[in-house]
């Protein structure tokens, strides 16, 4: 017997921009920037708890790395990149909780990893949740990489 147990919040989490409620303007803006090949170095998502910052960050990561391109984003059957981002197992998309990894040593690890080009995707993406929890030293350590990242490196920050 196969059990398909999943937390409801994860089971019904939006997987594409069309499924986001109340975020039409930001979704259109991000899609247009990707289509125009004017992708910023970093995105900063803010809002109160539960508005979908991390969900939006994952959708952005999928939009940037989808094998089908931004015009044909996976909706029902997902490509390998989108499927592994959904399962949090993509080698080039790393999700970090800054509330528990606040130190400079954690940022040095990110900087070391960022030196390598993506293996299976177009971009290497760091999703850093609770970015406001980083220490001053960690912010300072991340600043140079954030200001002048390689072409393949993107950051998505989420904060309250």
């Amino acid at each position: 017997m196969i059990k398909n147990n999943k937390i409801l919040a994860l089971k019904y989490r939006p997987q594409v921009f069309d499924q986001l409620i109340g975020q039409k303007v930001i979704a259109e803006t991000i899609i247009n920037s990707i289509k125009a090949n004017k992708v910023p170095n970093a995105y900063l998502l803010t809002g109160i708890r539960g508005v979908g910052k991390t969900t939006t960050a994952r959708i952005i990561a999928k939009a940037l790395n989808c094998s089908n391109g931004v015009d044909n984003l996976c909706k029902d059957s997902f490509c390998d990149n989108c499927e592994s981002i959904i399962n949090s197992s993509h080698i080039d998309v790393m999700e970090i909780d800054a509330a528990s990894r606040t130190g400079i040593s954690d940022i040095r690890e990110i900087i070391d990893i960022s030196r390598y080009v993506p293996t299976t995707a177009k971009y290497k993406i760091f999703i850093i949740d609770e970015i406001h929890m980083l220490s001053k030293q960690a912010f300072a350590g991340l600043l140079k990489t954030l200001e002048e990242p390689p072409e393949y490196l993107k950051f998505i920050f989420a904060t309250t």
Side-chain angles (χ1 to χ4, degrees):
M1 182 171 156
I2 298 173
K3 287 190 175 184
N4 193 6
N5 295 336
K6 203 171 196 183
I7 298 170
L8 289 177
L10 297 178
K11 184 176 181 179
Y12 295 107
R13 173 180 261 174
Q15 298 300 325
V16 292
F17 286 116
D18 294 342
Q19 295 174 347
L20 286 175
I21 298 171
Q23 305 295 340
K24 185 177 181 185
V25 174
I26 189 149
E28 283 181 20
T29 304
I30 292 168
I31 289 169
N32 289 337
S33 72
I34 295 170
K35 285 180 182 178
N37 202 23
K38 295 189 182 215
V39 181
N41 298 342
Y43 294 91
L44 177 62
L45 307 173
T46 64
I48 60 172
R49 183 176 62 97
V51 297
K53 299 178 296 290
T54 305
T55 297
T56 304
R58 287 175 171 227
I59 294 172
I60 293 169
K62 287 191 286 187
L64 289 169
N65 284 333
C66 184
S67 300
N68 300 327
V70 73
D71 290 322
N72 300 313
L73 285 177
C74 300
K75 292 186 188 328
D76 297 320
S77 60
F78 297 102
C79 65
D80 290 340
N81 283 335
C82 291
E83 187 68 40
S84 57
I85 291 171
I86 291 169
N87 296 328
S88 299
S89 61
H90 200 288
I91 194 167
D92 294 322
V93 178
M94 283 139 286
E95 194 170 328
I96 298 156
D97 179 22
S100 60
R101 300 181 70 193
T102 62
I104 185 68
S105 60
D106 299 312
I107 295 303
R108 284 189 185 127
E109 183 181 331
I110 291 172
I111 293 168
D112 288 340
I113 293 169
S114 71
R115 291 188 178 121
Y116 300 104
V117 297
T119 55
T120 61
K122 184 176 181 181
Y123 295 106
K124 184 174 287 269
I125 300 172
F126 288 99
I127 299 172
I128 304 179
D129 206 359
E130 304 294 336
I131 189 74
H132 64 278
M133 297 295 285
L134 283 182
S135 67
K136 285 185 179 183
Q137 294 81 9
F139 269 123
L142 184 60
L143 189 59
K144 181 70 174 172
T145 304
L146 185 59
E147 287 176 339
E148 298 174 11
E151 187 81 15
Y152 58 82
L153 185 64
K154 304 297 176 194
F155 291 94
I156 306 173
F157 302 128
T159 183
T160 54

